[in-house]
Amino acid sequence: MERIQEKLNEVFCDVFEDDDLVITPQLTADEVEDWDSLMHVNLMVAVEKRFGIRFSSGEIARLQNVGELIALIHKKT
Amino acid sequence: MTESRIFTDQDQQSFAELSGDFNPIHVDKKHARRSPFGENIVHGIHLVLWGLETWAASLEKAIFVSSVKARFIRPVRVGEEVELGVHSSSKDGRQKLVLSTREGTRAKVTLTYEERHIPQEETHLVGEAPARIQIAETPKVAHLEGRAGRVSLTYPDDVLHTMFPHTLASLGRQFLSVLLATTYLVGMKCPGLRSIYGAVQLSFTKQATTTASLDYTVKNFDARFSRLEIHIYQTGVTGLIEAYVREGVVEQKSYQALQPLVANNAFDVQKALVIGGSRGIGEVISKLLSAGGASVMLTYHTGEQDAKRICEQIKAGGGEATYANYDVLNRNLVAFPFEPTHVYFCATPAIRPSDRAVFSKKLFETFLSFYVYGYQAAIEQFARSKLRGIFNVSTNMLDNYSSVFAEYIAAKVASESVGQFLASTNKHVKVYQPRLGRVKTDQTASLGLSIEAEQVEDVVLDHLYHFQALTAS
């Protein structure tokens, strides 16, 4: 899971163009500037490409925070 | 460096004439009203070019741009002030531009470049602006993947010199032409009418293009998000555009389709005034009340054709309905020969979120102008001795808080307080303010990412029955 979080952090930095961004399991969209619906789509697409996985619409809609995203990635990898 | 600008209707028209991108979301107010944005928005590429033009004015030499990336985060509305921030990189040859409004970041542009020594001959790119074409209706999603075509790269030299002289001189004609062509491609051809331009990445080589056109192919369409990846290519340039397909105007069910849902005398004691009855929740309420035997007057602000269509539909089905113009903000109604027994307040501005980090005073005041001042003034104007009930559409977001809609929720809280005040000062009037869940209207139309919304009639009808019973007691 730690390795997933590290890799996921790189994806976040790339998508939000912010090399200083540090993710935590508790992090939510409310706390990151520019993380709205379109950016969320870009983030999900980037995560899928980076980890070689695919999410369903339902799985994406149910995510509440980064911790749940990490768990979902772990489940699919 | 910071600069600011307000894009006007004339700016929109000039850019549309140059680029050929006449997508109505940019130039047609009536169309924009029925979109999720509520108002005309500035072309994303126009924002980028304004930013580049401002920065290029400071360059002392011509440059070769090897790559450019632009991302459009939120739209800028026509008439809204946008600020350009130019962020110099510690690395030579990289430049970042950020375009923001008071409510937050709107677009980011990153360039990689080097000094250009050899002037490029690009006269083959001089020509007419793209001919005004019928905008392509967005194809059915099944037909998007693999879609391919070609757009022109020629633009009139004099107009480029007038609008983007520094970009033309310093960054080059090919660079400028390719960026312009992408907005025409997305806005007019693919996805066309219901497009949202999300981002573009372009890479240039020093091999000059010899053809005055740009080819494109839709390489990937993701139905989960209504998201397209469009590859663009020509000698000297390759690129990737991210675009989205937004939902079209949300049509509510016809009067004929709604009639069977309502007992035909359920509301026959009512003379119902529906403020904001020309679309969305107000439209459906008007139809349901008429189907139940009410005599309905519905008001519109700019949607006269919609109001007329609804009333004609109701009359054709045997119901009783008329319409009148009423501006909730200016309260312009002079003579109003209709004394309602029941008033339904459904008027609303575009319901949109603001940026998370900032509570927008301007956005909050817009909501207050409708939900508090407009609501209170409308009731005062129409409250006569015959008034029995006031129905004020509220939202279940008051029970399920989201900071994304902080301003909207705060204004609705205030609106409900106004309703309580009206109830306390008009003892013979019942005030009912149901907190409705998410329903399918222009306000909630969005991208494909599954956001549950119910049909308006499924949510509203029980509340109408309840309100009728409340006012009968």
Side-chain angles (χ1 to χ4, degrees):
Chain A
M1 298 278 243
E2 260 186 40
R3 180 76 194 110
I4 290 176
Q5 186 166 335
E6 269 174 42
K7 252 173 102 168
L8 187 60
N9 207 127
E10 290 168 9
V11 175
F12 268 75
C13 288
D14 190 45
V15 168
F16 290 97
E17 295 179 34
D18 181 358
D19 291 337
D20 299 326
L21 184 57
V22 175
I23 61 170
T24 64
Q26 297 77 29
L27 188 70
T28 64
D30 280 358
E31 297 161 66
V32 180
E33 198 186 346
D34 300 343
W35 189 353
D36 63 1
S37 53
L38 276 191
M39 284 304 272
H40 191 67
V41 170
N42 291 323
L43 182 62
M44 292 298 109
V45 169
V47 168
E48 286 178 335
K49 279 185 180 154
R50 184 69 195 269
F51 289 93
I53 57 178
R54 188 171 169 88
F55 302 120
S56 71
S57 301
E59 283 171 337
I60 294 170
R62 284 190 289 272
L63 291 171
Q64 297 291 315
N65 57 38
V66 167
E68 290 187 11
L69 176 57
I70 293 171
L72 187 56
I73 295 168
H74 178 72
K75 188 174 149 191
K76 289 179 173 286
T77 49
Chain B
M1 177 208 292
T2 54
E3 291 270 338
S4 68
R5 177 174 177 176
I6 294 174
F7 288 81
T8 63
D9 290 335
Q10 183 53 55
D11 292 329
Q12 296 298 99
Q13 189 64 27
S14 301
F15 187 78
E17 282 169 8
L18 169 64
S19 64
D21 183 0
F22 281 93
N23 191 297
I25 198 65
H26 300 302
V27 294
D28 182 336
K29 288 194 194 312
K30 284 207 172 97
H31 174 93
R33 172 183 160 266
R34 300 293 309 260
S35 76
F37 312 110
E39 300 165 70
N40 288 133
I41 58 173
V42 180
H43 300 77
I45 291 293
H46 196 179
L47 288 174
V48 169
L49 286 176
W50 169 64
L52 290 173
E53 178 66 16
T54 309
W55 171 64
S58 66
L59 292 175
E60 290 169 353
K61 49 189 185 288
I63 59 171
F64 170 72
V65 176
S66 56
S67 72
V68 61
K69 196 160 84 165
R71 180 164 293 286
F72 308 115
I73 296 165
R74 290 263 179 91
V76 172
R77 286 166 167 74
V78 175
E80 187 176 18
E81 186 173 4
V82 57
E83 197 173 271
L84 168 69
V86 177
H87 302 262
S88 295
S89 169
S90 55
K91 299 179 195 166
D92 278 339
R94 272 182 69 87
Q95 189 62 55
K96 185 170 176 177
L97 309 179
V98 178
L99 295 124
S100 320
T101 64
R102 278 171 57 188
E103 293 176 13
T105 308
R106 292 299 174 252
K108 292 181 182 174
V109 186
T110 312
L111 280 179
T112 308
Y113 64 93
E114 60 190 70
E115 200 171 318
R116 173 155 54 105
H117 298 289
I118 301 164
Q120 289 168 296
E121 289 300 326
E122 295 164 326
T123 52
H124 62 290
L125 298 180
V126 175
E128 297 297 312
R132 183 85 187 254
I133 62 167
Q134 183 74 22
I135 188 170
E137 172 58 73
T138 301
K140 288 194 193 317
V141 297
H143 300 150
L144 275 167
E145 192 150 332
R147 199 170 179 82
R150 180 170 287 172
V151 291
S152 169
L153 282 176
T154 67
Y155 295 93
D157 194 50
D158 55 339
V159 181
L160 291 183
H161 272 289
T162 304
M163 290 182 73
F164 305 110
H166 298 107
T167 310
L168 188 60
S170 295
L171 279 66
R173 188 181 301 274
Q174 181 193 31
F175 175 84
L176 182 48
S177 296
V178 170
L179 276 178
L180 285 169
T182 65
T183 193
Y184 176 77
L185 162 56
V186 171
M188 298 296 285
K189 305 272 277 185
C190 181
L193 181 63
R194 290 185 284 119
S195 58
I196 294 178
Y197 194 157
V200 61
Q201 283 185 67
L202 299 171
S203 297
F204 295 89
T205 67
K206 288 182 181 167
Q207 190 180 12
T209 176
T210 52
T211 351
S213 62
L214 189 66
D215 295 324
Y216 69 88
T217 307
V218 178
K219 282 288 193 190
N220 188 26
F221 177 73
D222 193 328
R224 295 173 301 168
F225 315 120
S226 299
R227 179 180 186 270
L228 297 87
E229 286 181 359
I230 307 172
H231 282 216
I232 53 178
Y233 43 97
Q234 194 43 270
T235 309
V237 57
T238 56
L240 182 69
I241 294 173
E242 256 172 53
Y244 297 84
V245 178
R246 57 183 171 85
E247 286 181 46
V249 166
V250 177
E251 300 290 353
Q252 302 298 339
K253 285 213 176 82
S254 68
Y255 179 70
Q256 282 69 25
L258 292 173
Q259 259 181 311
L261 302 178
V262 189
N264 60 15
N265 60 352
F267 308 118
D268 64 358
V269 298
Q270 290 194 27
K271 280 189 78 170
L273 174 67
V274 183
I275 299 175
S278 66
R279 60 175 175 145
I281 293 172
E283 175 183 346
V284 175
I285 286 178
S286 299
K287 289 173 179 172
L288 291 172
L289 291 172
S290 299
S295 169
V296 169
M297 172 167 278
L298 59 98
T299 76
Y300 69 92
H301 175 36
T302 58
E304 184 180 4
Q305 291 308 312
D306 293 325
K308 186 173 176 221
R309 173 184 51 81
I310 293 163
C311 287
E312 282 171 357
Q313 223 181 63
I314 290 172
K315 284 178 196 164
E320 206 181 311
T322 50
Y323 61 97
N325 180 260
Y326 180 65
D327 179 355
V328 160
L329 300 186
N330 294 313
R331 275 83 79 178
N332 60 325
L333 212 55
V334 177
F336 203 69
F338 187 85
E339 284 201 30
T341 58
H342 295 69
V343 174
Y344 296 79
F345 191 82
C346 309
T348 181
I351 298 171
R352 58 186 180 90
S354 70
D355 291 326
R356 243 52 63 76
V358 176
F359 185 91
S360 167
K361 184 165 173 274
K362 186 171 172 217
L363 187 56
F364 181 51
E365 282 170 1
T366 300
F367 289 129
L368 284 182
S369 67
F370 277 76
Y371 302 144
V372 172
Y373 310 126
Y375 174 38
Q376 185 271 328
I379 299 304
E380 206 173 276
Q381 184 155 11
F382 297 116
R384 304 277 190 275
S385 57
K386 292 184 180 166
L387 187 65
R388 290 289 167 263
I390 300 166
F391 185 112
N392 177 29
V393 173
S394 189
T395 173
N396 73 350
M397 282 201 219
L398 269 60
D399 304 311
N400 303 294
Y401 186 79
S402 165
S403 63
V404 173
F405 288 96
E407 296 82 356
Y408 171 66
I409 293 169
K412 280 293 188 183
V413 168
S415 184
E416 287 193 4
S417 288
V418 168
Q420 287 168 334
F421 169 75
L422 292 169
S424 68
T425 51
N426 293 275
K427 296 292 183 198
H428 62 286
V429 176
K430 296 285 196 291
V431 177
Y432 181 57
Q433 307 188 113
R435 293 179 176 179
L436 304 185
R438 194 180 173 93
V439 288
K440 288 182 183 165
T441 68
D442 291 344
Q443 304 288 355
T444 56
S446 67
L447 302 175
L449 195 60
S450 57
I451 298 175
E452 304 288 333
E454 296 183 72
Q455 294 293 131
V456 176
E457 60 277 11
D458 293 335
V459 170
V460 141
L461 187 52
D462 282 346
H463 289 292
L464 294 181
Y465 286 137
H466 182 81
F467 181 53
Q468 167 61 36
L470 198 64
T471 54
S473 57

